[in-house]
């Protein structure tokens, strides 16, 4: 029997608004990795992992990021409240998807260059319906990327405050999360401090 269900539209949502407070105020999106801004690597990771369209949420030094990074083909949203923390950027990203035909949002953070397309593809493949909730896991610990079915966006946005992002929502719905082990294909470190910069190439 032929499967006639349409291929789901899984939009990539890249949170790239951070100002890099612990990096001396260097916007994370513009940190160099392999000769190009980190934001470009993350966009490519989402695309190569099967996401489309790709939405990028900028904040700190947004104009400079747009001038220096190649974000062609992306939908760019500038979060004026980026200093409030990641929650406001998640709200902005999901808000930009409202009213589109996206069935799910796959959320990636710009400062995790150890997560590549294979992890994105694995988490994306956990999509089953618009109520889907899935996350990469590393040795059983939940991490990024995270997939949110469209029917969950409003509730997630409501609880996305401060630096929490979707953490409270995910805690409250832990039994509904499909964990997708990715530790064999990705490393979930963050670029947060000056010491972490050594992980960039």
């Amino acid at each position: 029997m032929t499967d006639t269900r349409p291929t789901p539209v899984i939009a990539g949502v890249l949170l790239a608004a951070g100002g890099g407070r612990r990096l001396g105020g260097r916007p994370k999106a513009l940190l160099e990795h392999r000769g190009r801004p980190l934001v470009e690597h993350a966009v490519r990771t989402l695309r190569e992992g099967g996401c489309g369209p790709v939405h990028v949420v900028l904040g700190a030094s947004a104009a400079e990021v747009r001038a220096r990074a190649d974000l062609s083909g992306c939908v760019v949203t500038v979060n004026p409240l980026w200093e409030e923390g990641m929650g406001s950027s998640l709200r902005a990203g999901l808000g930009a998807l409202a009213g589109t035909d996206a069935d799910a949002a796959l959320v990636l953070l710009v400062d995790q260059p150890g997560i590549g397309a294979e992890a994105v593809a694995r988490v994306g493949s956990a999509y089953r319906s618009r109520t889907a909730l899935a996350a990469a896991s590393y040795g059983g610990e939940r991490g990024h990327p995270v997939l949110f079915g469209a029917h969950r966006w409003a509730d997630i946005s409501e609880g996305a405050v401060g630096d929490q992002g979707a953490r409270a929502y995910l805690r409250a719905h832990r039994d509904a999360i499909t964990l997708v082990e990715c530790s064999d294909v990705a490393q979930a470190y963050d670029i947060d401090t000056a010491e972490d910069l050594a992980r960039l190439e």
Side-chain angles (χ1 to χ4, degrees):
M1 192 169 138
T2 310
D3 187 347
T4 55
R5 285 175 303 181
T7 304
V9 175
I10 297 179
V13 176
L14 177 62
L15 303 186
R21 275 191 306 270
R22 287 181 284 175
L23 293 166
R26 296 166 65 187
K28 290 186 176 184
L30 287 176
L31 294 175
E32 287 230 340
H33 184 48
R34 297 174 186 160
R36 296 301 304 162
L38 208 48
V39 66
E40 283 185 24
H41 292 275
V43 165
R44 190 179 317 122
T45 291
L46 287 168
R47 285 206 177 111
E48 291 178 356
C51 293
V54 173
H55 286 246
V56 180
V57 181
L58 300 179
S61 303
E64 188 184 351
V65 176
R66 292 182 98 147
R68 287 179 49 194
D70 179 6
L71 300 178
S72 51
C74 297
V75 180
V76 177
T77 300
V78 177
N79 172 21
L81 306 175
W82 65 269
E83 288 181 273
E84 291 182 4
M86 189 174 22
S88 65
S89 291
L90 180 58
R91 288 198 309 273
L94 294 179
L97 286 178
T100 70
D101 62 353
D103 296 297
L106 192 143
V107 179
L108 185 67
L109 308 182
V110 75
D111 66 345
Q112 293 193 319
I115 296 174
E118 200 165 344
V120 167
R122 277 193 194 177
V123 174
S125 70
Y127 176 87
R128 294 291 177 271
S129 74
R130 286 183 146 224
T131 60
L133 198 55
S137 113
Y138 301 89
E141 292 292 311
R142 191 186 75 240
H144 283 86
V146 183
L147 179 121
F148 302 124
H151 290 339
R152 296 185 180 271
W153 296 346
D155 286 346
I156 290 167
S157 294
E158 199 175 304
V161 293
D163 266 327
Q164 287 293 303
R167 208 172 300 157
Y169 183 90
L170 291 169
R171 254 200 316 270
H173 296 83
R174 64 163 64 88
D175 293 344
I177 301 172
T178 300
L179 288 178
V180 183
E181 187 57 45
C182 290
S183 57
D184 59 321
V185 295
Q187 294 178 292
Y189 57 82
D190 302 304
I191 306 297
D192 277 336
T193 65
E195 291 72 35
D196 296 332
L197 293 173
R199 291 181 176 274
L200 298 176
E201 296 171 27

